Amino acid sequence: MRISNSRVTATEVARKAGVSQPTVSLVLSRNPKARVAPATRARVLKIAQELGYRPNRLAQGLVRRRSYALGVIVPGFDNPVYAAVISGAEKVAAQAGYAVLLCEAKGSEVVQHLEALRDRQIDGVIIAGIAASTLPAAALDGLNVVLVNQPSEKFSTVGSDSLKAGTIAAEHLLALGHRRLAFLGPADAIPAFRLRERGFFQALRGAGVPLSSELIQRAAATVAGGLAGMRALLALSERPTAVFCANDLMALGAHKACSVAGVGLPRDLSLLGCDDIEMAQLVTPELSTIAVPARELGARAVRLLLKQIDAHGALPPASQLLAVKLVARGTTGQHAPAQPR
Amino acid sequence: MRISNSRVTATEVARKAGVSQPTVSLVLSRNPKARVAPATRARVLKIAQELGYRPNRLAQGLVRRRSYALGVIVPGFDNPVYAAVISGAEKVAAQAGYAVLLCEAKGSEVVQHLEALRDRQIDGVIIAGIAASTLPAAALDGLNVVLVNQPSEKFSTVGSDSLKAGTIAAEHLLALGHRRLAFLGPADAIPAFRLRERGFFQALRGAGVPLSSELIQRAAATVAGGLAGMRALLALSERPTAVFCANDLMALGAHKACSVAGVGLPRDLSLLGCDDIEMAQLVTPELSTIAVPARELGARAVRLLLKQIDAHGALPPASQLLAVKLVARGTTGQHAPAQPR
DNA sequence: TCACATTGCTAATGCGTATAAGCAACAGTC
DNA sequence: GACTGTTGCTTATACGCATTAGCAATGTGA
């Protein structure tokens, strides 16, 4: 039975139970070495229950030097991938009794958000979609950190195999007979994108099909960016026959650009994304892409972080790399040399 | 200059500055009635700066009885609308020095999450996409609450005009000459959906074009739901000529179903969504919909909540209703009676 | 000169909890 | 029956900060 506001303190419970406040604390903190007489324990528990006592987490945090709160920083929610990461993270965190403090931040804002999180004594932080290398070293100093989807020597990471994703992309398109390939990706140094790109380039070079520079198109990693980037590619005198995009948002933008320009997918052009967001299946033809287990990344990031927290920083940085998988749908197809008629 | 961990306390600053701890507190809390000698103030500020002192928010919260944290509860991030609400909320909150504790919860989980938030002494909570009426009264008792997109007598609300949205939908489709309309929406009692539905039905009845029950299709408010729902509608012996969906996710699912079934939009069928999420513009033809200012809802919800918090609950519940707007794109068109040939 | 206000700081206290240390009561040993 | 051990609780204290009251030093007026 809850009595209005949760303003019932341990001291009140103690008074009504005829014991001292620390005794209440002893009863409630299931401490094995705390010996309390069964009768007392029962009485305290009963009163606590009746009064609806719940420990004040702020006070607990203050004395335990633990807030049981995690920070999660992402560059934006407009990308469903981050939404999925957060979702996975929140679920695991909540189950473990941890709260998630959410921050949306780009660029230098990140540092301020980190400071704010520190002030709240967060036990750890998860950073997704932001290159840790771009942050001043002091910003993460002494913090429990897990990075999502970016390799690091210094911090623990949970990622998908972005390099492999790029390789898979190249192999898929090559296998379909394409030889004039293009890449559409952002100019900024977000590690996951960079790795996908590198994997793609490396595989192409390995196959003896290097990319000429006009076939590397830079644009923001958004729908709008993909749209603009694809328009630029379509404006080339000699168009590519297949395009790999750094993520699905770009690919969907590119998809749209093709649709607007009357370029048939995959007849005139093969298009491949990366992430496998839900929307990939909604466009027609459905977007071929490379699936990244975003939710799982978030979930694992929290599990790893909690492990680190429990170890009091005595753990070396660990890394997990999850597999990615080609999901060939409707936008990639066999290269058909144009039939002059 | 930050010195590693933010373990610098006010007491340390005080010691180095040769003053007492409360003096440091007086200097840093820009309290107008706190008169501190300019020289002392300067000295304290200087030392605090040098040591990188930052107040412990937990301790502050404990004594001020304010955590400067807000809870935000949504049913899921898979719907971009909630992502937008959160984004708007987080931005305003961060600017005001408030943290956002994010919770993803459906059904009875909500109550538990609310309890957990209370334990953390949150100053207020924003609830979106969950009917407050389904919660036990005690769950929100004594809490500063702002509901998003659902009317309420008891709590403050920030919403879009969902009833109007339904009306607009009906008017738009009627104006295009449609007389056999269908509605596709969820069976659960999420207020925004219910209102859109009611507005739609009312307007149709007003126009003398009531909906027969087989043209009201129930399915989850998701892409999958929309897909299934539209399939059911297409299986009718006499198909509707226009369909209004409770939200864009459903509409996109429906869009897909049409595409798969070879039903031409808008030639064979007009399709109208609600929300105007980014993806609406990515399908071909682009989805006609009714724009809801989701980000703005989140932003305003926080502003309202902060106002309430500052008033210490001495404010009566306030409500804001933002306008919605028809965005006619490619999936709605003039009703063309089938030409028998 | 004294009474009194003002200024500028400190001492004391509390927020709600956890934890170490201490102290009765009692049991067991010889 | 004094000695040690155990049990079961309480007292004291700390976490880091804000806030009230209070006190010394200075200024003001007569």
Side-chain angles (χ1 to χ4, degrees):
Chain A
M1 295 298 112
R2 277 279 306 306
I3 309 295
S4 78
N5 234 329
S6 97
R7 290 273 163 262
V8 185
T9 71
T11 309
E12 282 182 63
V13 175
R15 200 166 43 75
K16 297 223 180 188
V19 296
S20 71
Q21 172 266 315
T23 301
V24 173
S25 211
L26 287 180
V27 170
L28 296 187
S29 69
R30 316 216 138 285
N31 198 325
K33 74 168 183 273
R35 293 156 323 205
V36 180
T40 311
R41 166 182 301 274
R43 189 155 31 98
V44 168
L45 284 177
K46 178 161 163 284
I47 304 275
Q49 175 86 11
E50 282 175 10
L51 268 53
Y53 169 71
R54 313 203 98 220
N56 181 328
R57 301 282 243 155
L58 293 185
Q60 251 180 5
L62 187 58
V63 55
R64 283 194 181 157
R65 302 163 153 283
R66 273 272 201 103
S67 62
Y68 295 94
L70 307 178
V72 174
I73 307 187
V74 298
F77 303 130
D78 31 6
N79 190 338
V81 171
Y82 299 126
V85 169
I86 294 169
S87 179
E90 197 272 343
K91 185 162 183 207
V92 175
Q95 280 171 353
Y98 278 74
V100 166
L101 305 199
L102 190 62
C103 298
E104 191 177 11
K106 312 186 213 286
S108 62
E109 295 169 13
V110 179
V111 178
Q112 297 165 29
H113 279 264
L114 279 168
E115 290 296 304
L117 289 174
R118 288 184 117 102
D119 295 347
R120 291 182 185 304
Q121 311 296 114
I122 51 154
D123 297 334
V125 66
I126 290 173
I127 301 182
I130 296 158
S133 55
T134 65
L135 300 176
L140 294 176
D141 208 50
L143 230 42
N144 282 312
V145 181
V146 172
L147 303 176
V148 172
N149 239 349
Q150 60 178 298
S152 166
E153 299 287 309
K154 202 174 162 204
F155 301 107
S156 287
T157 68
V158 170
S160 57
D161 198 338
S162 301
L163 201 67
K164 186 78 176 295
T167 309
I168 290 175
E171 286 169 353
H172 177 53
L173 296 176
L174 287 172
L176 288 171
H178 294 279
R179 289 300 175 268
R180 185 163 175 79
L181 307 179
F183 176 76
L184 193 46
D188 36 84
I190 295 179
F193 296 147
R194 280 275 116 105
L195 286 171
R196 291 171 184 178
E197 180 178 333
R198 197 191 303 163
F200 188 63
F201 292 171
Q202 281 177 356
L204 290 186
R205 239 180 288 125
V209 190
L211 243 60
S212 63
S213 66
E214 90 257 24
L215 291 176
I216 302 177
Q217 191 64 41
R218 298 291 173 194
T222 61
V223 168
L227 198 72
M230 181 54 97
R231 261 201 223 108
L233 287 175
L234 292 179
L236 290 177
S237 57
E238 197 180 350
R239 289 179 178 175
T241 70
V243 178
F244 174 49
C245 297
N247 71 0
D248 276 357
L249 286 185
M250 297 195 81
L252 288 172
H255 193 286
K256 179 74 189 179
C258 290
S259 162
V260 168
V263 173
L265 300 175
R267 205 198 44 197
D268 303 332
L269 187 82
S270 277
L271 181 63
L272 184 58
C274 191
D275 281 342
D276 195 20
I277 62 180
E278 186 182 28
M279 286 302 147
Q281 301 179 56
L282 288 182
V283 289
T284 306
E286 297 184 5
L287 182 67
S288 291
T289 186
I290 295 163
V292 169
R295 255 191 83 86
E296 183 66 18
L297 288 181
R300 290 196 184 222
V302 169
R303 285 198 205 101
L304 189 52
L305 189 51
L306 294 183
K307 213 173 287 178
Q308 267 181 223
I309 291 169
D310 286 337
H312 291 93
L315 239 48
S319 279
Q320 296 183 12
L321 207 57
L322 305 190
V324 297
K325 206 179 73 193
L326 176 69
V327 181
R329 295 203 182 97
T331 57
T332 48
Q334 205 73 37
H335 171 53
Q339 304 289 341
R341 59 174 93 183
Chain B
M1 294 296 111
R2 277 280 309 305
I3 309 295
S4 79
N5 235 328
S6 94
R7 290 274 163 264
V8 186
T9 71
T11 309
E12 282 182 62
V13 174
R15 200 166 44 74
K16 297 224 180 185
V19 296
S20 70
Q21 173 266 314
T23 301
V24 173
S25 212
L26 287 180
V27 169
L28 295 187
S29 70
R30 318 215 137 284
N31 198 326
K33 73 168 183 272
R35 293 154 321 208
V36 180
T40 310
R41 166 182 300 274
R43 189 154 32 95
V44 169
L45 285 176
K46 178 162 163 284
I47 305 274
Q49 174 86 12
E50 282 174 12
L51 293 166
Y53 169 70
R54 312 203 97 220
N56 181 328
R57 302 281 246 155
L58 257 43
Q60 250 180 6
L62 188 58
V63 56
R64 283 197 179 156
R65 302 162 154 282
R66 272 271 202 107
S67 62
Y68 294 94
L70 306 178
V72 174
I73 307 187
V74 298
F77 304 130
D78 31 6
N79 190 338
V81 171
Y82 298 126
V85 168
I86 294 169
S87 178
E90 196 273 344
K91 186 163 183 206
V92 175
Q95 281 171 353
Y98 278 75
V100 166
L101 306 199
L102 191 61
C103 298
E104 191 176 11
K106 312 187 215 284
S108 63
E109 294 169 14
V110 179
V111 178
Q112 296 166 31
H113 279 264
L114 279 167
E115 290 298 302
L117 289 174
R118 288 185 115 103
D119 295 348
R120 300 192 128 82
Q121 312 295 115
I122 50 155
D123 297 334
V125 65
I126 290 173
I127 301 181
I130 296 158
S133 56
T134 65
L135 301 175
L140 294 176
D141 208 49
L143 228 45
N144 282 311
V145 180
V146 172
L147 303 176
V148 172
N149 238 350
Q150 58 179 299
S152 166
E153 298 287 310
K154 203 172 159 203
F155 301 107
S156 288
T157 68
V158 171
S160 57
D161 198 337
S162 300
L163 202 66
K164 186 77 176 293
T167 308
I168 291 176
E171 286 169 354
H172 177 52
L173 296 175
L174 287 173
L176 288 171
H178 295 280
R179 290 300 175 267
R180 187 167 173 77
L181 308 179
F183 177 77
L184 194 45
D188 36 84
I190 296 179
F193 297 147
R194 279 277 116 105
L195 287 172
R196 291 171 184 178
E197 181 178 332
R198 195 190 305 164
F200 188 63
F201 290 173
Q202 281 178 356
L204 289 186
R205 239 180 289 124
V209 189
L211 243 60
S212 62
S213 66
E214 89 256 26
L215 292 177
I216 303 177
Q217 190 66 41
R218 299 290 173 195
T222 61
V223 169
L227 199 72
M230 181 56 99
R231 260 199 225 109
L233 287 176
L234 292 180
L236 291 176
S237 57
E238 196 182 351
R239 289 181 178 173
T241 69
V243 177
F244 174 49
C245 296
N247 72 359
D248 276 357
L249 286 184
M250 296 195 82
L252 288 171
H255 192 287
K256 180 73 189 179
C258 290
S259 161
V260 167
V263 173
L265 299 173
R267 204 199 43 197
D268 303 333
L269 188 82
S270 278
L271 181 63
L272 184 59
C274 191
D275 281 343
D276 195 19
I277 62 180
E278 185 182 28
M279 285 303 146
Q281 301 179 56
L282 288 182
V283 289
T284 306
E286 298 184 3
L287 181 67
S288 291
T289 187
I290 295 164
V292 169
R295 256 190 83 86
E296 183 65 17
L297 287 182
R300 290 199 183 219
V302 170
R303 287 198 204 101
L304 189 52
L305 189 51
L306 294 183
K307 214 173 286 177
Q308 267 181 220
I309 292 168
D310 287 337
H312 292 91
L315 239 48
S319 281
Q320 296 182 10
L321 207 56
L322 306 190
V324 296
K325 206 179 74 193
L326 175 70
V327 182
R329 296 202 181 97
T331 57
T332 47
Q334 206 74 35
H335 172 53
Q339 304 290 343
R341 59 173 99 184

